Amino acid sequence: MSVAANGAGKAKAPPGLNAETFHKLSALATLALLVGVFALGNAAFFSINNGLTVLLQTSVIGLLGIGMTMVIITGGIDLSVGSVLALSGTVTGLLVKAGVPVPIGMTAGVAVGALCGLASGLIITKMRITPFVATLGMMLIARGLALQLTGAAPISQLGEAFGRLGNGALFRMVETQPNGLSKVIFPGIPYPAILLIVTALAAAYLLRRRSLGRHIYAVGSNEEAARLSGVDVVRTKIAAYVMSGALAGLAGNVLMSRLVTAQPNEGVMYELDAIAAAVIGGASLNGGVGGIAGTMIGAFIIGVLRNGLNMAGVSAFIQQIIIGVVVILAVFIDQMRNRR
Amino acid sequence: MTPPLVEMIGIEKHFGGIHAVNGVSLSLHPGEVVGVLGHNGAGKSCLMRILSGAMSPSAGEIRVGGKSASLGSPQDARSHGIETIYQTLALADHLDAAANLFLGRELRTRWGNLDDKLMLAEARKVLARLNPNFRNLGDPVSRLSGGQRQVIAIARAIYFNVKCLIMDEPTAALGPAETAMVGQLIKQLRQEGVGIFLISHDMHDVFDLCDRVVVMNRGHNVGSYRIDEVTKDDVLSLIIKGALPDDWAPRNTERLQ
Ligand SMILES: Nc1ncnc2c1ncn2[C@@H]1O[C@H](COP(=O)(O)OP(=O)(O)OP(=O)(O)O)[C@@H](O)[C@H]1O
Ligand SMILES: [Mg+2]
């Protein structure tokens, strides 16, 4: 294995385990603990229906988290994903409303996301603005565009086809009973979950098996060394932001399709969930460290936490406080491990 | 006579008011080892980084094989067969030895995937040539010792088809045995016709390995001599004062050029 996470310093992991595996196992244990606690507190938590809800919520965080992970590994950050999600979703909504076929509209929405990422990447590499500032600007620009395009009003009645991506499922089996009602035999695998799995596999493949992935780690690890080694640093960074933008666009389409409404106000502060997922999963904001498997676990931790707290009747405000604490704790534990 | 491997003509590098390199010209022939000496901050690394494509000169011309070349990036220099061991080593800390060795020119399978197995095998071979005790190839290089890191940087420069090798203090972190192996390596590469710029503060190594010395002082080239023309004291005088001792005459009495 060539990309070893948590490289700086000797991590204190039990013998026979490397630091990366140890981190993932502890994150998995946390996830299992959360599920256990919530299941004990509320029987409905463990139902298939709720499982699907968690899966759907997580798919949006997960898609954003995958893009965020690539950007964070390069040593950057993308604060614009929540707004780009909204812009992409509304662009798709507007196009579909105007009569454009849904697949084309959605492709265009994702392309708009990728364009936002391209703009961020160019601002960061060519104008040499720090990622924090550049994507903060993009966050305002994309949100403003989404609100301006729609007059801040949601676009509804987008038709059944628009809602299929977010609400449909593969292998769904429904039986019509003699009394005329239909009964769901197997709820199927929701499309968003399939999308998440496919994207995660593709991203993991890219990071581990392709040159671009190797360069993403190298740039975050030591940008000057990467440049001197002949890595095209500018291209690598731009690629990371474009992927982050495109995935934000995809997440926006999933979310708005689920609501069957294009909401220019959607996705506020989602960037923080995505960052939290990546960081809980072991990505380091200093760059050079991170992985898709970890981010997926992180996304599920956030998804389960939010869902479980919802079901336990904890207010949205308290939820924010809890997630804030969780993120700080995750980063703290990571630093403790790396300091020894 | 064949044209020099590389020629640097009238190279200048300014940082604001600082003249790091001031109208320096020098050349390197195949199979020649040229020592580049000078006090700290004399401009040696800047001059070499310009030849590596890592830094762009403020003025001057570079010729490779007699033809004017523009080395706008490290890739450009590498494509001309110019390889560099940087003073800073230029390693990505989170990647392992093999990943660093092949960074920027990864070996790939037919499908374009990274061929980590092959890269590891090749890395093992070339590293063993420099340090037979090199084991922890799978560790991120941040966990390796300074000497091991330096060995990786050296291995990276010689693995690919090198014609002109720039070594910026390549043995600074090495133990005596490893330093000796680098000395062996330099002699072997010279045999193979590689031209080498060796930056070193170790007078003994320089006199042992170099055919010629170029001395820099405050950004200027203050002298280029065949190694048998000068003594260590002469060179020290050049480094410190920027001039030879007043009563200097070529040691072997026949000064070239
Ligand atoms: N990026 C830079 N920006 C500004 N000044 C620089 C830069 N790089 C080098 N310098 C200046 O150029 C001068 C020459 O530096 P250089 O690194 O070439 O010295 P050197 O001869 O390699 O010294 P040493 O023996 O210590 O390695 C120094 O005065 C240094 O401060
Ligand atoms: Mg130097």
Side-chain angles (χ1 to χ4, degrees), chain B residues 38-58:
Chain B
H39 57 82
N40 289 126
K44 307 180 294 291
S45 293
C46 285
L47 184 67
M48 290 298 121
R49 285 167 70 88
I50 288 168
L51 186 56
S52 308
M55 195 182 256
S56 56
S58 309

Side-chain angles (χ1 to χ4, degrees), chain B residues 44-45 87 168-169:
Chain B
K44 307 180 294 291
S45 293
Q87 189 169 15
D168 196 344
E169 305 196 24

Side-chain angles (χ1 to χ4, degrees), chain A residues 1-11 18-19 205-211 213-215 217-222 224-232 286-289, chain B residues 49 53-55 72-75 78 86 88-96 98-100 102-106 108-109 111-116 119 138-140 142-143 156:
Chain A
M1 141 107 230
S2 274
V3 174
N6 308 315
K10 299 251 192 296
N18 72 23
Y205 166 74
L206 175 85
L207 283 178
R208 282 168 174 274
R209 308 289 306 141
R210 305 296 296 190
S211 293
R214 178 77 33 101
H215 294 174
Y217 280 98
V219 166
S221 180
N222 185 342
E224 175 68 357
R227 183 178 80 87
L228 294 178
S229 302
V231 170
D232 192 335
N286 294 327
V289 180
Chain B
R49 285 167 70 88
M55 195 182 256
S73 71
Q75 291 98 303
R78 283 175 163 192
Y86 293 98
T88 55
L89 302 187
L91 299 176
D93 273 348
H94 300 91
L95 304 185
D96 66 16
N100 266 293
F102 291 96
L103 189 55
R105 29 192 181 183
E106 292 81 7
R108 283 180 272 182
T109 63
W111 310 106
N113 292 328
L114 294 172
D115 196 340
D116 278 324
M119 285 194 270
D139 283 1
S142 63
R143 285 199 212 148
R156 170 167 66 183

Side-chain angles (χ1 to χ4, degrees), chain B residues 213-230:
Chain B
V213 287
V214 170
V215 182
M216 291 192 65
N217 187 296
R218 293 184 212 182
H220 294 272
N221 177 350
V222 292
S224 167
Y225 299 94
R226 284 183 44 151
I227 201 76
D228 51 12
E229 291 176 308
V230 283

Side-chain angles (χ1 to χ4, degrees), chain B residues 215-250:
Chain B
V215 182
M216 291 192 65
N217 187 296
R218 293 184 212 182
H220 294 272
N221 177 350
V222 292
S224 167
Y225 299 94
R226 284 183 44 151
I227 201 76
D228 51 12
E229 291 176 308
V230 283
T231 62
K232 284 179 191 171
D233 286 340
D234 299 338
V235 174
L236 274 178
S237 166
L238 277 169
I239 292 174
I240 297 163
K241 284 199 304 184
L244 288 162
D246 296 333
D247 56 349
W248 184 78

